[in-house]
Amino acid sequence: MELAEIRKYPVKSVSGWVVDSAVVEPWGLAEDRRWAVVDEQGDIHWLGENPRLLSVVASVTDEDGLLLDAPGLPQLKVPPATGESVPVGFAEVDSVVLADPDAHAWFTRLLGKPARLVWLDDPNRCAVPASHGGLPGEVVSLAGDAPILLTSRSSLRRLDDWILEGAMERQDDPPAPLDMARFRPNLVIDGAPPYAEDSWREIRIGPVAFRVSEHCDRCAATTYDPVTFQKGKEPLRTLARHRRWDGKTWFGIRLVPRGRGELRLGDPVTVLA
């Protein structure tokens, strides 16, 4: 087994970008989901209700700010956040730092509703929720449920096969394979049997060990095509048929780093427990 893809999401819920290497910190990949878009009350603008967030490409600048791009909007360079601390309705943290006002206006125009860009100044303030398998002392970025999400290419191929079988039963046109981007993973592995990750408790990727905190339950955000932003029935329809238990559908696993280190594409993946 090997590490086949690494993805970062500088802003929670916007599109990710693929990299060849990434530094692992206690709260997740460096530069991953330290920013988020919230409404006037401090509640997250969730991707499942705001699919236009998928059109945003965000990259981190050398000054620890952001560069934002989206169709129909001017490119915006956002300086490091130095605004006031404001309350938010996140389970893992109660306050964050406001970004530059130009960023609020940019996201307000994108979504057509009031929006503010905020930044997490210190991930050590955010505990991994015990309800999501967190242990004392474990921390997370604005990713929320766990520092890192891992998926498997072979599991996606099996899911694509199931979706095709269902389409044939319904006499629908054969669907195109799903893009892994729908599942918003940080790490994608190849070489494991389909859904072998369900049984893992600890793994090592390259120089870094990880604890599996829980399986990942999937929501309606996965039903939006990451290219067209159109909503469909898959993959939840098929996951509900083949991967449903405890009233939820499941794909991928959530990880907590056991230490720091740098991951690179091609790093070996070893199951420790």
Side-chain angles (χ1 to χ4, degrees), residues 87-109:
V88 287
F90 298 172
E92 65 273 16
V93 66
D94 58 4
S95 66
V96 290
V97 177
L98 281 177
D100 186 86
D102 286 347
H104 310 332
W106 195 90
F107 275 105
T108 295
R109 183 176 170 186

Side-chain angles (χ1 to χ4, degrees), residues 37-40 45 50 52-53 68 73 76 101-117:
V37 183
V38 301
D39 62 18
E40 292 175 305
H45 274 308
N50 300 277
R52 284 208 69 193
L53 288 169
L68 299 174
L73 289 177
L76 181 66
D102 286 347
H104 310 332
W106 195 90
F107 275 105
T108 295
R109 183 176 170 186
L110 174 85
L111 298 180
K113 63 180 76 173
R116 297 189 293 178
L117 181 66

Side-chain angles (χ1 to χ4, degrees), residues 78-265:
V78 182
T82 57
E84 63 179 306
S85 180
V86 294
V88 287
F90 298 172
E92 65 273 16
V93 66
D94 58 4
S95 66
V96 290
V97 177
L98 281 177
D100 186 86
D102 286 347
H104 310 332
W106 195 90
F107 275 105
T108 295
R109 183 176 170 186
L110 174 85
L111 298 180
K113 63 180 76 173
R116 297 189 293 178
L117 181 66
V118 297
W119 182 67
L120 175 61
D121 54 324
D122 182 8
N124 287 301
R125 296 195 290 120
C126 303
V128 178
S131 59
H132 288 279
L135 299 178
E138 293 179 338
V139 292
V140 64
S141 68
L142 295 178
D145 296 336
I148 288 174
L149 173 62
L150 178 145
T151 60
S152 162
R153 283 182 174 174
S154 64
S155 298
L156 180 58
R157 288 193 290 267
R158 177 62 59 82
L159 176 57
D160 283 331
D161 289 343
W162 287 333
I163 291 173
L164 178 59
E165 290 170 5
M168 294 175 65
E169 290 173 4
R170 296 186 301 273
Q171 298 184 342
D172 293 342
D173 292 335
L178 295 180
D179 190 325
M180 186 68 86
R182 285 180 182 257
F183 299 95
R184 305 184 64 75
N186 293 113
L187 307 178
V188 181
I189 62 166
D190 204 3
Y195 301 106
E197 63 272 18
D198 286 350
S199 65
W200 298 347
R201 290 186 290 120
E202 294 193 15
I203 64 172
R204 180 179 297 277
I205 304 175
V208 185
F210 299 88
R211 182 180 73 85
V212 178
S213 55
E214 64 175 351
H215 296 132
C216 184
D217 55 309
R218 309 314 310 212
C219 68
T222 60
T223 61
Y224 286 97
D225 186 296
V227 176
T228 67
F229 318 132
Q230 296 299 307
K231 183 177 175 63
K233 295 182 179 180
E234 298 296 354
L236 293 189
R237 174 170 58 185
T238 298
L239 287 175
R241 182 176 180 180
H242 296 276
R243 300 276 303 165
R244 182 178 177 86
W245 61 84
D246 295 337
K248 299 177 180 179
T249 59
W250 307 88
F251 188 89
I253 54 176
R254 295 182 172 124
L255 306 178
V256 178
R258 292 290 201 186
R260 298 173 182 260
E262 185 172 12
L263 302 182
R264 297 182 179 277
L265 293 180

Side-chain angles (χ1 to χ4, degrees), residues 2-111:
E2 67 175 19
L3 181 59
E5 297 176 37
I6 305 172
R7 298 173 184 248
K8 293 183 180 181
Y9 309 85
V11 182
K12 185 179 177 72
S13 292
V14 310
S15 64
W17 47 294
V18 178
V19 296
D20 294 332
S21 64
V23 173
V24 177
E25 298 175 321
W27 46 84
L29 300 185
E31 303 173 347
D32 185 65
R33 283 175 276 209
R34 292 288 295 274
W35 304 77
V37 183
V38 301
D39 62 18
E40 292 175 305
Q41 288 72 46
D43 294 322
I44 189 73
H45 274 308
W46 179 52
L47 172 59
E49 296 174 347
N50 300 277
R52 284 208 69 193
L53 288 169
L54 287 172
S55 70
V56 177
V57 177
S59 56
V60 177
T61 66
D62 292 339
E63 302 83 20
D64 292 328
L66 284 176
L67 189 64
L68 299 174
D69 276 291
L73 289 177
Q75 186 182 75
L76 181 66
K77 187 174 183 180
V78 182
T82 57
E84 63 179 306
S85 180
V86 294
V88 287
F90 298 172
E92 65 273 16
V93 66
D94 58 4
S95 66
V96 290
V97 177
L98 281 177
D100 186 86
D102 286 347
H104 310 332
W106 195 90
F107 275 105
T108 295
R109 183 176 170 186
L110 174 85
L111 298 180

